[in-house]
């Protein structure tokens, strides 16, 4: 594997500017002779130093998710803080896929230890594993967050660009998806039409597909859809440990069109909690995931609650 | 110095009083929590001649409370003819508020810290606290903190028209967004409780309550209020056919399997209750009756957020623990007062106690607690018929059960009250 080039960003990129750039490249791609789906990812990683959480934004996030205001960073909030770095990779001229309209398929995060809300963090992002999917091309965006050189958060976000294939279009998957059976609900979320705007106001992600029916329609959606990370944040609020690290993952099935009522099931499986959400009316699966507490490292200096 | 080895003494239930419970937005629409609790206290004071007395404490509470009512119970006491030197404090444990207030007072009496006390509760959903929206509240708070004109303008500029919509309290669980009824619907289905069984329990509640009124059981337990002399939710003429005709009100996501209706669920209700407790010496000195001993009480809580247990199942756990502590079996009782939050709650509770797997895996018992004699259950009606003004239910049950035990002259009674937040309080009373 060749050495990756490191691009050091000197400030947090503005998501608005990144979206504008993405929109421009999407328009250009639509013009004759525009960018076609390429076959390779740039061998590059984008790096940003000195990232510190904005306290007011953190409180607004915790309130939005129904989480307790604490002096540690929720995992999805960390994702939001470093998302501009990840996105700066995805709007590069040599990035092979159009960012706008890309679908968020899954996240896997190792939240390695509690992260103080005043921590000075660095983030490194790169794209990897471009591969075919029956509906298009998918890839992973890998972000590592460190404090003082020590990794504290590692995330893998999987995205899908629909209708573009790097090579030949793969055939239908061998195994059909198991039919979804609705589990017994333990919670119900009433998501208002402005859910996407409320998330954007807190984490700055003004992706048009989340903001309004009109802006979503411009990108081929019938209505605005809930932000995947909003759903993840709601699922994690009140369910993640606070005194140790944890792993969590979420997979998205069908989009949550706003407004909507999402029924949710949480199941405590002893060492981990699984959750899933589906349309209260439609009965269609929206997402599923799990949260697993990491064992505390011995001698880490953190006191276990029980001796 | 007090004697450190002093044995605990009995806490005695002397009597109780409540106002009739009224369906929400009905007879008590204009009555406040303070009005209703004061009325219940006035009746109790008159019945037992407590005028001018300094009691050890008055403990009560309300689940839905205005912020202006921060000292609700003390304000009520100041409005009664009790000595103004009677201390009072507010308790809040959702629907178990009354039980917690009464149980904690009983403990103080047992320890010799106080000789007498009144415990109870009150609730209104007709005079509910309505708050400004979170958006407007944030603006107003920032405005009050702003020192400069610029800062004030900045605060005001964040106001949005949608912030004018007020916040009314609901019965939804904050962490799940589900109403209490929708939570119970999960449990009702998990325990396969049929619609017919729920309707039968509801009908029995109305019939039993009506029969208790008929034989004047409540004559020394209730004082009329605002022109009402009987619980307005009571339907003495209800029938299984009428109950069967009602459409599901909760668990509607279950479609054809939904079983919970307005008939087998408690309605929103306004009302207040109060119970007088004392030491044996206090009762004798004041020539007051001793109906029953408040033997013991136990609280439990369950994790309903992550699906481990049903929201209203905590009392099943509390009963297992209180029986063990008191060396009793579930069958050692003459009366069972299981609060009818929903018919499904009572029936799921009974089913759980009979279930070997539940008793082994959840309650950690070798053998199931077993079945109870259903003819001893809620014999003078319960919340399905009387209604359920959240914090007032504990006082209603304790006063009625104490009187039932005293009438019988022997035996024990078991109280079980579930509460929001996955909590519950249970208690044991013994006849005198």
């Amino acid at each position: 594997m060749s050495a990756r080039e490191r691009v050091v960003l000197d400030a947090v990129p503005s998501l608005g500017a990144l979206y504008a750039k993405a929109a421009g490249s999407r328009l250009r791609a639509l013009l004759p002779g525009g960018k076609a789906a390429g076959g390779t990812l740039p061998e590059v990683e984008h790096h940003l130093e000195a990232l510190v959480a904005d306290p007011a934004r953190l409180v607004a996030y915790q309130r939005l998710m129904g989480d307790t205001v604490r002096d540690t960073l929720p995992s999805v909030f960390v994702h939001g803080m470093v998302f501009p770095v990840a996105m700066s990779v995805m709007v590069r001229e040599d990035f092979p896929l159009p960012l706008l309209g890309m679908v968020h398929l899954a996240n896997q995060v190792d939240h390695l230890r509690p992260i103080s809300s005043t921590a000075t963090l660095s983030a490194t992002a790169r794209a990897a594993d471009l591969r075919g999917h029956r509906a298009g091309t998918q890839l992973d965006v890998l972000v590592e967050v460190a404090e003082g050189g020590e990794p504290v958060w590692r995330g893998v976000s999987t995205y899908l660009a629909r209708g573009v294939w790097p090579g030949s279009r793969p055939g239908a998957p061998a195994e059909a998806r198991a039919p979804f059976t609705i589990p017994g609900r333990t919670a119900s979320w009433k998501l208002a039409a402005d859910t996407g705007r409320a998330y954007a106001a807190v984490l700055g992600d003004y992706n048009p597909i989340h903001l309004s029916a009109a802006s979503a329609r411009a990108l081929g959606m019938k209505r605005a859809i809930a932000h995947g990370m909003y759903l993840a944040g709601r699922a994690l609020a009140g369910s993640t440990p606070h005194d140790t690290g944890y792993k969590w993952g979420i997979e998205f099935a069908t989009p949550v069109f706003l407004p909507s009522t999402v029924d949710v099931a949480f199941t405590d499986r002893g060492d981990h909690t699984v959750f899933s959400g589906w349309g209260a009316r439609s009965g269609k699966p929206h997402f599923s995931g799990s949260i697993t507490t990491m064992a505390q490292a011995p001698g880490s200096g953190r006191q276990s609650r029980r001796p | 110095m007090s004697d450190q080895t002093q044995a605990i003494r009995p806490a005695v239930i002397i009597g109780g009083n409540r106002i009739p419970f009224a369906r929400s937005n009905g007879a008590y629409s204009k009555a406040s929590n303070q009005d209703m609790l004061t009325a219940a206290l006035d009746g109790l004071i008159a019945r037992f001649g407590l005028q001018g007395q300094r009691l050890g404490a008055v403990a009560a509470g309300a689940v839905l409370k205005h912020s202006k009512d921060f000292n609700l119970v003390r304000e009520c006491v100041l409005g009664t003819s009790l000595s103004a030197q009677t201390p009072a404090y507010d308790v809040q444990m959702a629907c178990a508020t009354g039980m917690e207030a009464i149980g904690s007072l009983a403990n103080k009496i047992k320890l010799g810290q106080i000789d007498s006390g009144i415990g109870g509760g009150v609730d209104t959903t007709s005079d509910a606290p309505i708050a400004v929206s979170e958006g407007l509240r944030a603006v107003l708070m920032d405005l009050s903190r702003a020192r400069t004109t610029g800062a004030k303008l900045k605060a005001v500029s964040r106001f949005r028209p949608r912030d004018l919509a007020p916040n009314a309290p609901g019965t939804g669980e904050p962490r799940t967004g589900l109403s209490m009824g929708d939570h119970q619907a999960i449990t009702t289905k998990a325990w396969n409780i049929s619609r017919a069984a729920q309707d039968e329990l509801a009908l029995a509640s109305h019939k039993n309550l009506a029969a208790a009124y008929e034989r004047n059981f409540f004559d020394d337990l209730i004082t009329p209020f605002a022109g009402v002399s009987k619980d307005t939710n009571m339907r003495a003429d209800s029938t299984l056919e009428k109950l069967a005709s009602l459409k599901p009100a909760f668990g509607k996501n279950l479609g054809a399997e939904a079983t919970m209706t307005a008939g087998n669920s408690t309605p929103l209700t306004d009302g207040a209750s109060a119970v007088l407790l004392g030491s044996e010496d206090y009762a004798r000195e004041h020539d007051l009756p001793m109906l029953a001993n408040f033997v013991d009480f136990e609280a439990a809580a369950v994790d309903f957020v992550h699906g481990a247990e049903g929201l209203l199942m905590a009392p099943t756990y509390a009963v297992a623990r209180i029986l063990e502590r008191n060396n009793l079996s579930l069958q050692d009782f003459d009366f069972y007062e299981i609060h009818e939050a929903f018919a499904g709650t009572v029936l799921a509770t009974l089913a759980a106690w009979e279930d070997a797997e539940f008793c082994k895996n959840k309650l950690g018992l070798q053998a199931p607690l077993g079945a109870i004699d259903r003819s001893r259950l809620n014999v003078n009606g319960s919340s399905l018929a009387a209604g359920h003004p959240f914090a007032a239910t504990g006082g209603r049950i304790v006063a009625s059960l104490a009187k039932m035990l005293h009438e019988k002259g022997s035996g024990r009674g078991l109280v079980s009250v579930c509460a929001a937040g996955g909590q519950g309080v249970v208690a044991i009373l013994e006849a005198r």
Side-chain angles (χ1 to χ4, degrees), chain A residues 48-91:
Chain A
L48 179 68
E49 289 284 341
L51 202 52
V52 179
D54 170 9
R57 191 167 279 221
L58 174 59
V59 171
Y61 171 87
Q62 287 155 329
R63 295 272 182 252
L64 178 69
M65 297 300 174
D67 210 346
T68 306
V69 172
R70 292 175 191 272
D71 290 338
T72 49
L73 298 180
S75 214
V76 171
F77 187 81
V78 176
H79 180 280
M81 281 174 72
V82 301
F83 183 64
V85 183
M87 201 167 140
S88 71
V89 174
M90 290 156 63
V91 298

Side-chain angles (χ1 to χ4, degrees), chain A residues 255-279:
Chain A
V256 176
F257 291 102
L258 297 171
S260 182
T261 299
V262 178
D263 277 354
V264 186
F266 283 89
T267 311
D268 187 352
R269 293 261 172 85
D271 62 338
H272 68 292
T273 300
V274 297
F275 58 85
S276 59
W278 61 95

Side-chain angles (χ1 to χ4, degrees), chain B residues 123-201:
Chain B
D123 255 295
T124 171
T125 46
S126 307
D127 186 41
I130 287 179
V132 298
S133 71
E134 277 299 295
L136 178 54
R137 200 174 65 83
V139 168
L140 293 173
M141 294 307 292
D142 283 345
L143 192 59
S144 76
R145 280 185 283 261
R147 300 282 158 136
T148 63
T149 308
K152 283 175 187 168
L153 285 172
K154 196 178 160 203
V156 170
S157 72
R158 289 209 315 278
F159 174 78
R160 298 285 175 273
R162 65 159 183 257
D163 293 337
L164 283 173
N167 265 354
T171 57
E173 280 292 333
R175 283 176 190 273
T176 66
L178 288 173
S179 72
M180 190 173 275
D182 281 338
H183 265 290
Q184 178 58 45
I186 299 169
T187 311
T188 304
K189 179 162 185 282
W191 286 97
N192 281 318
I193 308 298
S194 72
R195 166 76 185 267
Q198 294 173 60
D199 286 351
E200 278 164 26
L201 190 90

